[in-house]
Amino acid sequence: MATERYNARASEPKWQKAWDAAKLFETKNDDSRPKYYVLEMFPYPSGRIHMGHVRNYTMGDVVARHRRALGYNVLHPMGWDAFGLPAENAARDRGVNPRSWTYQNIEAMKAQLKVMGLSLDWAREIATCDPSYYKHQQKMFLDFWKAGLVERRSAKVNWDPEDMTVLANEQVIDGRGWRSGALVEQRDLTQWFFKITSMSQDLLDSLDTLDKWPEKVKLMQANWIGRSEGLLLRWKLDAATAPSGETELEVYTTRPDTIFGASFMAIAADHPLAKKAAEDNPKLASFIKDISHRGTAAADLETAEKQGFDTGIRVVHPFDPAWTLPVYVANFVLMEYGTGAIFGCPAHDQRDLDFANKYGLPVTPVVMPEGADAATFRILEEAYVDDGAMINSRFLDGMKPKDAFDAVAERLSGDVLNGRPQGERKVQFRLRDWLISRQRYWGCPIPVIHCDSCGAVPVPASALPIELPTDVTFDRPGNPLDHHPTWKHVECPQCGKDARRDTDTMDTFVDSSWYFARFTDPWNETAPTTLSAVDGPKGWLPVNQYIGGIEHAILHLLYSRFYARAMKATGHLNTVAEPFEGLFTQGMVVHETYKGPDGWVTPAEIKVEEFDGSRKAFLLTDGTPIEIGAIEKMSKSKKNVVDPDDIIGSYGADTARWFMLSDSPPERDVIWTEAGVEGAHRFVQRLWRLVSEAAPGLTGVAPAAAHDGEAAALSKAAHKIVKSVGEEIEKLGFNKAVARIYELANALQGPVSDIAAGKASAELKAATREALDMLVGLIAPMMPHLAEECHAELGGAGLVADKPWPAYDPALTVDSEIVMPVQINGKKRGDLTIARDADQSAVEKAALALDVVQKALEGKTPRKVIVVPQRIVNVVV
Ligand code: ANZ
Ligand code: ZN
């Protein structure tokens, strides 16, 4: 029978309108159903959505629609991470206003998201650049300040010379600015910090409670927080070589057990002792100047060539007054960590070893592998960093390093230097405070006024928001807020004298650290959150399922965890300190790359043909051969991007959604291919054919499961699949859910043909009707438009989006027959298919009746038959 093709372009907008009209996705806070909050990381309004967005939001939408069908009151909001540099760059390069640029982009992207058919509550839409949003952020900044969680201090900071702003440590990647890619410089500036380090221990410990987070992300955060247990150890300076007034050098070490392997001291270029030593040593001064221009990002230092300069100062070994060691200034020691000084133990630290080998310093092993020979154990090019036994270490010899650590700590905490213990146990974190000042315009203004008499004064709450001026210019480098003729000139709120506004804005990561809380009641004008809605017995937090990219494993996710704690400390949250209960990090969308004689070309510009099994690409315009390159993350620079609009325009949103879910496990990368999309589209058409072929024969047929007879196979398959699709979606195993849906479509093919041919029994019709209804319910979270169209075609009332999740009968999901392997003398010889509830003697009888068994018995009776119920039969002959 001829059926019309499914026309996504006509169908999809129709159903989107129907959902809107029914306000299906507008969520109320006062709803007695159990709550479920699913959130995808909100986008930056760059102007267009990309395939990564399509994948991310499709997954979130499946979760949201599934939970809604299960009877939850689902919160699934969307907003815009709308502050940031691209708006300013557009302003500078094209003279547009950052605000209008941003809002135009928001409109464009919102339209694209609507076309995807996402079940979003647009009534809660927020944009972080809106004063109605950042007003609350300014209030919280002041509250955090009052609570001691904000500090203004001078610090050596990362300066991005291209973006002309400071960056947080987390935003310096391999020594370069995370946005600009420019080599970051070090500058001394007075800046605002959020005191995230005051929560280091809790942020670390609480990772253990996040059992619905990927282990990988928790490990990355733990490493970033970087707790270590060590010793502050104060070395006496050798008086003959010490600069005047200097008597000691304090180091931080996690390996005090290796103290007899020490061969030099190394201090950071900006360590006070280095500065002092450089005062009358011009060569040292110029060395210091030279190395402090390099980046100090930890990753850089790992790989950079080790460089040092002997200051001539010597220290005295704590356990041997006759033993002195040289003090070097070295480029691999950071002032910002520990005390900015170390003792180097080359045998057991690779950096120290590289350094010692370069400068001809002694290498004495003090730990050797268990069972090695202390007399011959040597270290040459590779440091020994494992456990073992202490050697060459006087009173520590023979101990395990761990016990040696304790012994040294014990002894030195008793020894006194300059009136203080020479050694002191110390827990150290790698995490630094979060530097939030940015010398940029398009961000949330820091609500502080600087007065010569009163210092830094908070803007009174009644004067919030401090809004960004709109009349700014971008014609010269630097911060437009600072250049503005009037904006910064204000009276001091305390003494009334002339004062200046802080012209810095907040890091945009502050904006994204609490948007999930704002979504719970975006209408509250007087406070950032409404306590009854945000958490506690009736609140939305924590977010039950958060979905986004792994690139946020540290930055955004760690900041949000801090921010939630700070909100709790200042009364903006009740109970919750962990904002995200479940976290899922999806893989990327990747695509082949294509390179022609003039560089990269886009997939849209080429055609691919197959010759004898190998694929060749040609330029569409003139047939120029094109090289097919590696499969890589979609990126503008490699031109391997596919525009969601093009795909949705030609195939419809459901096809794009289905492909995104079907092809690979959600945590892995998905390779976008034309063939894959076409396959998804064929399935859309196939489902439509199934439904429209069956529909005429099913009018007036009530759904009913068949428990036996020819229709039972279909009912069993359908009920089993309903069960497992639900389970897979709950585990975010979308690709597996998809595979089960394909099975259901296959199982329906025969019965539907029978119905169309008019030769189906009443039972088969009823079972088919039920299975088709189930199929429609199962595809609804993934292909919501097609589901509605099928539902209507089958004569269903109302909207699928508003229907409960298909229910299955557990009795139909257990197989009534099982297959048991049959062994003869312990070797498998065949299979026995038998009723699951068959008793021992029935199994025995059936097994003995099998041909293979009969043959092996040669007419004799078996010596023994062992039946392990529902598992295995062993016949001993
Ligand atoms: C002596 C020693 C011997 C060390 C040895 C290691 C191995 P974590 O675990 O990251 O805390 N260190 C301390 N401060 C430093 C700084 N500002 N810049 C560079 N390195 C620094 O690492 C602590 C270890 O890193 C410390 O223990 C110190 O070297 C080094 F066989 O002291 B150790
Ligand atoms: Zn004042």
Side-chain angles (χ1 to χ4, degrees):
M1 187 169 61
T3 56
E4 291 211 7
R5 284 175 67 78
Y6 172 65
N7 183 348
R9 241 188 298 179
S11 173
E12 291 183 350
K14 178 177 71 184
W15 296 112
Q16 288 159 15
K17 277 205 197 85
W19 299 325
D20 274 355
K23 291 191 189 300
L24 273 191
F25 311 129
E26 284 190 20
T27 303
K28 298 216 166 52
N29 284 348
D30 55 347
D31 183 313
S32 57
R33 292 173 299 169
K35 289 185 154 54
Y36 195 88
Y37 187 176
V38 51
L39 185 67
E40 299 96 64
M41 291 178 183
F42 68 163
Y44 176 78
S46 57
R48 306 200 57 74
I49 63 168
H50 54 65
M51 281 299 176
H53 293 128
V54 173
R55 191 175 194 201
N56 190 192
Y57 304 148
T58 300
M59 289 180 190
D61 202 45
V62 172
V63 173
R65 286 177 180 267
H66 177 238
R67 288 285 166 169
R68 208 173 280 117
L70 288 176
Y72 287 86
N73 183 30
V74 171
L75 178 57
H76 186 213
M78 182 55 74
W80 309 97
D81 192 8
F83 273 138
L85 263 181
E88 274 181 72
N89 293 342
R92 187 195 56 210
D93 300 342
R94 277 170 277 153
V96 293
N97 177 283
R99 182 183 314 265
S100 22
W101 183 85
T102 304
Y103 277 99
Q104 272 165 21
N105 287 349
I106 287 177
E107 278 322 301
M109 289 174 76
K110 188 172 171 181
Q112 288 184 297
L113 293 184
K114 293 219 160 169
V115 168
M116 280 184 65
L118 302 168
S119 64
L120 292 164
D121 181 356
W122 285 106
R124 294 177 190 244
E125 179 183 5
I126 52 185
T128 57
C129 65
D130 197 308
S132 70
Y133 180 83
Y134 68 67
K135 158 182 161 175
H136 302 293
Q137 193 165 304
Q138 293 175 336
K139 175 70 169 49
M140 284 189 284
F141 173 93
L142 297 176
D143 291 346
F144 292 0
W145 193 11
K146 207 183 279 173
L149 293 167
V150 174
E151 205 169 74
R152 183 171 166 79
R153 61 167 184 260
S154 163
K156 189 164 282 296
V157 296
N158 307 301
W159 176 261
D160 184 325
E162 190 164 316
D163 282 348
M164 302 266 287
T165 182
V166 303
L167 296 174
N169 280 358
E170 290 81 355
Q171 294 159 351
V172 180
I173 293 152
D174 297 337
R176 293 172 183 275
W178 70 294
R179 280 203 48 85
S180 71
L183 270 180
V184 164
E185 299 164 7
Q186 301 299 304
R187 291 204 179 170
D188 278 306
L189 288 172
T190 303
Q191 303 279 297
W192 292 100
F193 290 86
F194 278 166
K195 291 173 73 178
I196 186 169
T197 58
S198 67
M199 299 182 184
S200 302
Q201 189 68 56
D202 183 35
L203 287 168
L204 182 66
D205 292 344
S206 303
L207 287 173
D208 289 341
T209 67
L210 300 174
D211 50 12
K212 292 180 186 162
W213 278 42
E215 284 306 321
K216 179 173 62 172
V217 174
K218 291 195 275 185
L219 188 65
M220 286 166 83
Q221 290 214 356
N223 287 340
W224 186 261
I225 295 168
R227 183 183 193 276
S228 57
E229 286 178 24
L231 210 64
L232 282 175
L233 174 47
R234 296 160 59 235
W235 298 65
K236 191 169 155 220
L237 298 190
D238 159 44
T241 56
S244 71
E246 299 292 335
T247 58
E248 64 175 60
L249 177 62
E250 186 175 52
V251 305
Y252 177 70
T253 176
T254 49
R255 297 293 306 275
D257 49 301
T258 65
I259 192 152
F260 290 103
S263 78
F264 64 94
M265 313 293 287
I267 61 180
D270 42 353
H271 191 283
L273 188 61
K275 288 185 184 156
K276 196 84 172 259
E279 277 169 15
D280 42 34
N281 186 342
K283 278 198 182 138
L284 176 57
S286 92
F287 173 80
I288 289 175
K289 205 166 153 212
D290 195 39
I291 65 170
S292 42
H293 277 304
R294 314 266 164 79
T296 59
D300 265 4
L301 295 175
E302 292 300 336
T303 50
E305 165 84 18
K306 309 278 170 296
Q307 285 189 303
F309 194 101
D310 188 349
T311 60
I313 303 170
R314 297 187 77 84
V315 296
V316 182
H317 195 279
F319 295 120
D320 187 344
W323 179 1
T324 66
L325 302 86
V327 178
Y328 281 77
V329 173
N331 66 339
F332 67 92
V333 181
L334 292 168
M335 192 58 219
E336 290 72 33
Y337 188 72
T339 63
I342 66 161
F343 78 76
C345 175
H348 305 291
D349 183 290
Q350 192 61 46
R351 290 177 306 180
D352 296 351
L353 182 61
D354 295 345
F355 191 82
N357 284 342
K358 179 165 178 186
Y359 292 101
L361 296 159
V363 180
T364 310
V366 290
V367 183
M368 63 168 190
E370 214 70 64
D373 178 5
T376 57
F377 184 62
R378 294 276 174 282
I379 298 289
L380 297 170
E381 295 296 329
E382 198 181 327
Y384 181 73
V385 295
D386 293 331
D387 203 8
M390 302 302 303
I391 52 173
N392 303 326
S393 293
R394 305 187 192 184
F395 67 96
L396 304 173
D397 279 351
M399 288 184 186
K400 300 224 104 206
K402 199 195 153 300
D403 300 321
F405 181 121
D406 291 338
V408 171
E410 184 77 13
R411 283 273 274 268
L412 292 179
S413 65
D415 292 347
V416 173
L417 179 66
N418 294 330
R420 288 193 295 157
Q422 193 163 6
E424 198 185 320
R425 284 180 188 270
K426 165 104 177 165
V427 171
Q428 183 82 37
F429 293 91
R430 206 174 85 93
L431 185 66
R432 304 287 83 164
D433 277 335
W434 175 12
L435 166 52
I436 61 149
S437 312
R438 295 291 179 276
Q439 292 70 45
R440 304 302 326 174
Y441 164 72
W442 194 232
C444 170
I446 293 176
V448 173
I449 290 165
H450 300 281
C451 167
D452 288 338
S453 315
C454 312
V457 180
V459 169
S462 60
L464 298 180
I466 300 304
E467 287 197 42
L468 287 169
T470 48
D471 52 340
V472 281
T473 54
F474 295 88
D475 44 11
R476 54 179 164 144
N479 180 356
L481 287 179
D482 207 32
H483 302 156
H484 192 279
T486 55
W487 187 76
K488 69 178 170 188
H489 300 291
V490 285
E491 278 179 6
C492 169
Q494 241 161 58
C495 70
K497 280 198 230 148
D498 285 351
R500 299 163 319 280
R501 278 195 197 292
D502 203 304
T503 54
D504 286 353
T505 53
M506 294 184 208
D507 180 3
T508 56
F509 277 98
V510 179
D511 314 342
S512 53
S513 289
W514 71 285
Y515 77 107
F516 48 86
R518 184 66 184 166
F519 276 136
T520 65
D521 185 3
W523 304 283
N524 188 335
E525 286 175 12
T526 56
T529 58
T530 305
L531 288 183
S532 64
V534 74
D535 64 357
K538 290 184 161 182
W540 286 107
L541 289 188
V543 173
N544 300 97
Q545 185 62 61
Y546 198 32
I547 309 178
I550 185 75
E551 66 275 18
H552 294 291
I554 295 172
L555 290 156
H556 163 59
L557 291 167
L558 188 61
Y559 291 151
S560 297
R561 296 181 62 221
F562 158 75
Y563 207 94
R565 284 164 171 76
M567 284 177 75
K568 191 174 168 191
T570 50
H572 298 295
L573 282 176
N574 272 318
T575 53
V576 163
E578 286 298 340
F580 312 117
E581 178 188 24
L583 172 71
F584 187 80
T585 51
Q586 94 269 1
M588 293 183 301
V589 183
V590 297
H591 195 287
E592 268 179 349
T593 48
Y594 308 104
K595 202 169 199 172
D598 307 321
W600 303 107
V601 291
T602 67
E605 292 169 295
I606 59 140
K607 61 175 181 223
V608 176
E609 280 165 16
E610 208 151 317
F611 294 94
D612 308 328
S614 81
R615 297 166 66 249
K616 295 208 159 59
F618 304 93
L619 213 52
L620 277 175
T621 47
D622 60 5
T624 309
I626 298 291
E627 186 191 325
I628 300 182
I631 296 173
E632 291 183 44
K633 178 184 176 169
M634 285 190 182
S635 78
K636 280 189 197 135
S637 60
K638 296 258 165 81
K639 290 204 180 168
N640 62 339
V641 285
V642 175
D643 189 332
D645 271 2
D646 291 347
I647 296 301
I648 295 173
S650 27
Y651 297 101
D654 284 342
T655 295
R657 294 170 60 121
W658 185 254
F659 177 66
M660 280 301 185
L661 297 166
S662 59
D663 224 47
S664 33
E667 67 279 4
R668 298 249 286 273
D669 291 351
V670 59
I671 307 174
W672 184 276
T673 63
E674 191 73 14
V677 181
E678 273 163 11
H681 192 60
R682 275 198 302 278
F683 188 62
V684 168
Q685 294 299 347
R686 188 175 154 209
L687 288 182
W688 174 245
R689 264 197 320 273
L690 262 185
V691 167
S692 47
E693 273 175 33
L698 291 178
T699 30
V701 174
H707 289 261
D708 23 54
E710 46 142 17
L714 175 61
S715 292
K716 278 185 189 160
H719 283 249
K720 268 194 215 165
I721 289 168
V722 166
K723 176 170 186 274
S724 80
V725 168
E727 288 167 354
E728 290 301 344
I729 292 180
E730 220 147 291
K731 288 188 282 189
L732 310 184
F734 305 116
N735 60 320
K736 292 192 183 152
V738 161
R740 302 307 315 261
I741 292 174
Y742 275 109
E743 282 175 35
L744 183 52
N746 290 342
L748 273 159
Q749 199 65 63
V752 167
S753 302
D754 287 351
I755 291 170
K759 42 182 202 187
S761 66
E763 287 79 36
L764 186 62
K765 280 188 178 180
T768 304
R769 164 96 227 185
E770 189 198 45
L772 274 176
D773 285 348
M774 286 172 159
L775 178 66
V776 170
L778 297 184
I779 63 167
M782 306 170 179
M783 298 191 280
H785 312 88
L786 178 66
E788 298 291 359
E789 201 68 49
C790 291
H791 178 69
E793 178 78 1
L794 288 166
L799 292 164
V800 182
D802 204 19
K803 290 262 179 309
W805 188 245
Y808 63 86
D809 176 356
L812 281 167
T813 64
V814 277
D815 283 313
S816 51
E817 287 191 331
I818 53 171
V819 177
M820 295 171 76
V822 177
Q823 296 183 335
I824 296 171
N825 293 341
K827 280 221 173 70
K828 185 175 167 195
R829 295 290 183 220
D831 284 312
L832 175 66
T833 304
I834 193 158
R836 177 180 286 277
D837 54 5
D839 65 18
Q840 181 115 354
S841 68
V843 173
E844 218 178 291
K845 220 168 123 195
L848 292 180
L850 287 175
D851 277 353
V852 273
V853 179
Q854 286 289 320
K855 253 200 213 135
L857 284 174
E858 295 167 335
K860 286 173 270 178
T861 43
R863 299 233 302 271
K864 207 169 172 191
V865 180
I866 305 155
V867 177
V868 184
Q870 298 194 4
R871 294 212 174 281
I872 202 167
V873 185
N874 190 12
V875 182
V876 186
V877 291

